[in-house]
Amino acid sequence: MNRGPLIFLGIFFALAFSWTGVVLTNQIQYGSLTPFYDQGEGKTYPEKRSGLAERGRLVYQDLGCLYCHSQQVRRPGFGADTERGWGDRQSVARDYVYDKRVYLGTMRTGPDLRNIGARQPSADWHYLHLFDPRLTSPGSIMAPFGFLFEYRQILGERSPKGLKLPGDYAKLRGLDRAGYELVPTPRAEALVAYLLSLKDTYEFPEAKPYVPRKTGGAR
Amino acid sequence: MADTPSLATSLNPATPTDTVARAELSEIDASAKWPVIVFLLSGLAWLLIGTGFALISSIKLHTPDFLGDYEWLTFGRVRTAHLNSVVYGWSTNVAFAVAFWLMARLSRARLRHGGLLIIAACFWNLGVTIGIIGILAGDSTSIEWLEIPPYATPLLFVAYALVGVWAVITFRFRKSEHIYVSQWYLLAALFWFPWLYSVAQIMLIFEPARGTVQALVNWWFAHNVLGLWFTPIGLAAAYYFIPKVLGKPIHSYYLSILGFWSLAIFYNWAGVHHLIGGPVPAWVISAGIAASLMMVIPVVVTAINHHLTMVGSFSALRYSPTLRFVVFGAVNYTLVSLIGSTMAIRGVNETTHFTHFTVAHAHQGMYAFFTMVMFGSVYYILPRLLLKEWPSATLIRTHFWATAIGVTLYWVGLSIGGWIQGTEMNNASIPFIEVVQHTIPYLFMRSVSGIVITIGHVAFAVNLVWMLCARRPAGVTAPTLFHSAPVLSTPSIR
């Protein structure tokens, strides 16, 4: 086979085939998927994120959180995602229609975060965990994000968001000076707002919790 | 095309054909010299930089407070800087170097206006540099394999277009009647990559698709960077160097055609297997799994072709550095592809997905296969361009053993660790933190293997720079082999 143009045509159609199948067909099939309008509640789901949470999404993106945390719950019976409490149901495409960038992820060095806002609703916990993951989760190998916090002199009133470090930890790290406090920077606040916004608790018609058929017996 | 007489024929019309052919080859090599060297040296620099990032990110995974106060070196960024410097810095630069040299040699055409290629190389490396700095500064897009921020990607695209067009032009000036299978792979790869890259850029960054369609575009792109860009270049080199060094034809020409077309058809659907169990249409996942399993055909066909060409010539592995690296790569291509097809089966994927098993697999593909084949190619090409031999066989030996042992330790160790991680993660009675704890010994082992690989890279870099700086010896030189070959039945051995 020595004909350049013929080889080129083959090369062209090979990629055109998968481009049509994987990219184009799916774009046509559900590329304009819309949110779901619940007539009973008079609201659409999924809900849009607040502006602060949307800024937090960018912090999540620039720090590369998705390289260790997925954002997708597999259906019951495939893996142990629901048994671990990572979600009450499997994730469906409609959950992501407002996500400007989708962070499904491919790695679970740490746990799935698709419902972290429902699983761990305390902002204080998240601040401590981000500042030093070993504070809240001994044995964790998560990167510390101390640079998202500021150790500053208290001017006037103490900030309500100030981190409540355990006494001996604060002493060990030299973070126990009188008149000083450790507070989250605006980026940390945005990131935590984003994490708290992650919850797919609404049950879409297509997302009814899937109950695996009992195995055994006649099929 | 282009009947300009070579220097040999214009001096003496009665020059023997063998001498003419050799003179022609050396003219082709001379025309390719500077572009290839520029791509190669930039690749080498990125290899060392990427190795540094790799070590930092590897250590961080078992000792998370290591360099923990520097935002620009946080795991999510430094790991991404590692991926982009080895994929777009090292691998793509060396792929350009090898692809150009192969294309010129196989087309028996001189590389015209090599200066333009050097400009393309500058654009490419400028793009990658800005991209990596951008990632470290926090501008990563967090789209796997496409993290380079949008302000740097147009540079990359322009550079790539120049390179691709130039390869096609070189091909158009070919003098050889026959189109060897390596040329098919090169042409296909150079055509496929810009298509993939531009579609992915548009549908993910400039005009993003809605919802999880993004994930499909992402993995259609990312897996095809491996399958339709690096794999074809690696296979083109293996198809060229194994028969070339051994001085015998490839086992079966027919099989090479079958291998090429089955790869072209099946590989590009396979990427969807990264989304098994995810919120995308089930049919497209099933199609991706089917394509991944069909990949067994091109892989087995290519394996038969490469490995049966080797049968009866294994002793040459004792002498030739090129052959040793390339055959190591070819064997790993067979292994990694078969493992990859297995990983796409739903029942296996349930365990391996989201674990270090996938990381091990990626390194076996990009390093144990692709990078090792590229190392072998460089050992063959560079002496012909510089008209000098490699200064030290010991350094080549160090390079080979350190990288071969290092990467094998890497993928075997991390595969075991990843499998344990996956099995435990699917057992909800084991607390997640224990699953994490149980991976640490394997992560530690990965850092050790990384140090071993680094030793190999340093040996390679020292040898290469030494070779560039060394004075060209007068007269005929002998190739640098691991051991002096007993009988040179294969004159091109090196």
Side-chain angles (χ1 to χ4, degrees):
Chain A
M1 205 165 170
N2 288 320
R3 291 199 209 134
L6 209 61
I7 296 177
F8 174 75
L9 270 184
I11 290 171
F12 176 85
F13 280 112
L15 189 58
F17 180 41
S18 76
W19 177 75
T20 312
V22 178
V23 177
L24 194 60
T25 309
N26 283 290
Q27 173 66 18
I28 294 168
Q29 188 186 358
Y30 76 109
S32 46
L33 191 66
T34 49
F36 179 77
Y37 181 69
D38 186 318
Q39 288 185 319
E41 293 187 45
K43 273 174 79 178
T44 54
Y45 288 94
E47 290 177 276
K48 273 196 170 166
R49 264 191 198 102
S50 71
L52 183 65
E54 192 55 39
R55 287 217 312 270
R57 183 184 70 76
L58 297 176
V59 179
Y60 188 90
Q61 173 176 308
D62 92 48
L63 294 175
C65 304
L66 101 154
Y67 298 105
C68 292
H69 297 283
S70 60
Q71 278 192 28
Q72 52 175 313
V73 180
R74 294 187 287 180
R75 63 178 163 76
F78 193 72
D81 299 13
T82 48
E83 286 98 316
R84 285 197 177 276
W86 288 343
D88 294 333
R89 58 166 174 86
Q90 74 272 27
S91 300
V92 293
R94 210 187 293 268
D95 288 324
Y96 302 84
V97 290
Y98 283 134
D99 290 11
K100 292 211 177 74
R101 188 157 291 160
V102 171
Y103 310 114
L104 288 187
T106 48
M107 188 66 187
R108 285 176 175 168
T109 306
D112 187 85
L113 295 183
R114 191 62 200 172
N115 289 292
I116 189 67
R119 286 163 49 210
Q120 185 47 272
S122 155
D124 286 340
W125 184 91
H126 282 293
Y127 288 135
L128 277 181
H129 182 243
L130 286 170
F131 180 73
D132 185 347
R134 264 68 60 198
L135 271 175
T136 53
S137 321
S140 163
I141 54 171
M142 183 169 128
F145 297 95
F147 46 81
L148 292 179
F149 296 83
E150 193 188 346
Y151 191 58
R152 65 173 189 199
Q153 200 168 7
I154 302 170
L155 297 171
E157 275 187 62
R158 187 175 274 274
S159 162
K161 289 175 189 137
L163 268 65
K164 296 161 198 73
L165 296 172
D168 46 346
Y169 177 88
K171 202 172 168 187
L172 194 72
R173 299 282 295 260
L175 296 169
D176 59 346
R177 278 170 71 181
Y180 277 75
E181 62 181 352
L182 184 66
V183 289
T185 59
R187 289 174 72 212
E189 287 182 37
L191 177 59
V192 169
Y194 171 70
L195 292 174
L196 295 181
S197 80
L198 289 172
K199 44 188 171 196
D200 296 336
T201 40
Y202 184 78
E203 238 176 64
F204 295 115
E206 72 268 29
K208 296 271 181 253
Y210 164 89
V211 184
R213 212 158 36 144
K214 290 270 181 292
T215 48
R219 298 188 57 163
Chain B
M1 290 294 307
D3 289 313
T4 34
S6 75
L7 197 61
T9 43
S10 38
L11 289 180
N12 176 8
T15 321
T17 43
D18 185 48
T19 318
V20 174
R22 275 171 187 278
E24 188 185 49
L25 285 185
S26 66
E27 279 175 33
I28 291 170
D29 284 348
S31 75
K33 180 178 175 183
W34 286 109
V36 169
I37 288 178
V38 169
F39 278 120
L40 190 62
L41 281 181
S42 349
L44 179 73
W46 283 115
L47 178 71
L48 298 175
I49 294 170
T51 312
F53 288 143
L55 282 176
I56 296 175
S57 31
S58 179
I59 294 171
K60 275 172 173 277
L61 262 198
H62 51 77
T63 313
D65 290 318
F66 173 69
L67 300 175
D69 294 335
Y70 304 97
E71 177 168 7
W72 62 284
L73 285 178
T74 192
F75 178 81
R77 290 190 190 172
V78 77
R79 168 240 182 255
T80 309
H82 156 65
L83 184 137
N84 283 278
S85 38
V86 294
V87 167
Y88 298 105
W90 153 249
S91 301
T92 302
N93 269 311
V94 75
F96 285 150
V98 171
F100 261 103
W101 186 83
L102 281 178
M103 190 53 106
R105 273 274 184 126
L106 284 166
S107 305
R108 288 178 49 221
R110 264 171 293 167
L111 213 54
R112 285 159 172 76
H113 303 288
L116 274 171
L117 281 175
I118 294 175
I119 294 174
C122 295
F123 269 56
W124 182 267
N125 286 298
L126 187 65
V128 178
T129 310
I130 296 176
I132 304 273
I133 293 174
I135 289 167
L136 292 174
D139 288 337
S140 157
T141 65
S142 268
I143 303 171
E144 289 191 63
W145 294 74
L146 279 170
E147 288 95 348
I148 291 186
Y151 49 75
T153 45
L155 272 174
L156 297 181
F157 193 84
V158 170
Y160 198 98
L162 259 178
V163 170
V165 166
W166 232 246
V168 173
I169 288 176
T170 310
F171 177 72
R172 295 265 299 149
F173 280 99
R174 69 186 180 275
K175 283 189 207 154
S176 48
E177 278 285 298
H178 177 73
I179 306 177
Y180 186 59
V181 64
S182 293
Q183 285 163 292
W184 302 17
Y185 279 112
L186 295 176
L187 283 176
L190 288 162
F191 172 75
W192 282 329
F193 184 80
W195 185 346
L196 290 163
Y197 197 68
S198 49
V199 169
Q201 286 291 333
I202 291 167
M203 292 191 69
L204 292 172
I205 293 168
F206 293 103
E207 203 57 51
R210 185 178 294 179
T212 59
V213 175
Q214 288 181 12
L216 284 167
V217 180
N218 187 181
W219 285 107
W220 173 75
F221 168 79
H223 202 78
N224 281 341
V225 175
L226 294 170
L228 302 184
W229 167 232
F230 293 120
T231 302
I233 301 283
L235 290 182
Y239 264 115
Y240 181 84
F241 288 111
I242 295 176
K244 187 79 177 173
V245 173
L246 294 178
K248 65 186 195 187
I250 194 81
H251 174 70
S252 159
Y253 183 69
Y254 170 74
L255 282 183
S256 61
I257 298 180
L258 180 63
F260 175 81
W261 289 115
S262 49
L263 177 130
I265 291 169
F266 297 130
Y267 218 139
N268 56 66
W269 276 79
V272 197
H273 65 217
H274 287 273
L275 297 168
I276 295 175
V280 294
W283 73 268
V284 70
I285 293 180
S286 300
I289 295 173
S292 309
L293 291 175
M294 293 303 275
M295 273 306 291
V296 170
I297 297 172
V299 169
V300 168
V301 163
T302 309
I304 292 174
N305 228 357
H306 286 168
H307 306 324
L308 284 188
T309 307
M310 276 306 293
V311 165
S313 308
F314 287 108
S315 56
L317 288 175
R318 253 173 74 74
Y319 309 106
S320 163
T322 295
L323 196 66
R324 210 186 270 184
F325 276 101
V326 173
V327 169
F328 183 91
V331 170
N332 271 289
Y333 173 68
T334 311
L335 279 176
V336 74
S337 306
L338 293 178
I339 295 174
S341 293
T342 316
M343 285 164 74
I345 300 170
R346 274 197 175 82
V348 179
N349 190 273
E350 188 182 358
T351 302
T352 59
H353 196 20
F354 302 120
T355 70
H356 296 295
F357 197 95
T358 313
V359 181
H361 177 68
H363 284 79
Q364 194 187 5
M366 274 309 287
Y367 197 97
F369 158 51
F370 180 77
T371 294
M372 292 300 263
V373 170
M374 290 298 112
F375 284 147
S377 312
V378 171
Y379 279 117
Y380 188 93
I381 295 172
L382 216 51
R384 283 161 174 79
L385 296 185
L386 297 174
L387 307 175
K388 296 183 229 181
E389 300 303 333
W390 289 93
S392 161
T394 312
L395 283 173
I396 306 180
R397 203 175 291 120
T398 313
H399 179 203
F400 178 77
W401 287 113
T403 50
I405 293 173
V407 75
T408 307
L409 189 69
Y410 185 113
W411 78 261
V412 172
L414 215 51
S415 292
I416 298 171
W419 188 266
I420 296 174
Q421 182 194 9
T423 324
E424 294 189 346
M425 202 144 50
N426 288 344
N427 178 356
S429 64
I430 302 174
F432 191 83
I433 196 73
E434 283 183 25
V435 181
V436 171
Q437 287 288 310
H438 295 166
T439 59
I440 290 178
Y442 301 95
L443 297 174
F444 193 79
M445 201 162 112
R446 190 233 313 252
S447 294
V448 174
S449 71
I451 291 168
V452 179
I453 291 173
T454 309
I455 295 171
H457 289 169
V458 171
F460 177 54
V462 168
N463 215 2
L464 207 158
V465 173
W466 185 0
M467 178 178 184
L468 279 174
C469 303
R471 276 157 61 107
R472 187 176 300 157
V476 183
T477 55
T480 308
L481 304 173
F482 286 133
H483 306 274
S484 47
V487 190
L488 276 181
S489 59
T490 50
S492 62
I493 198 165
R494 197 183 283 270

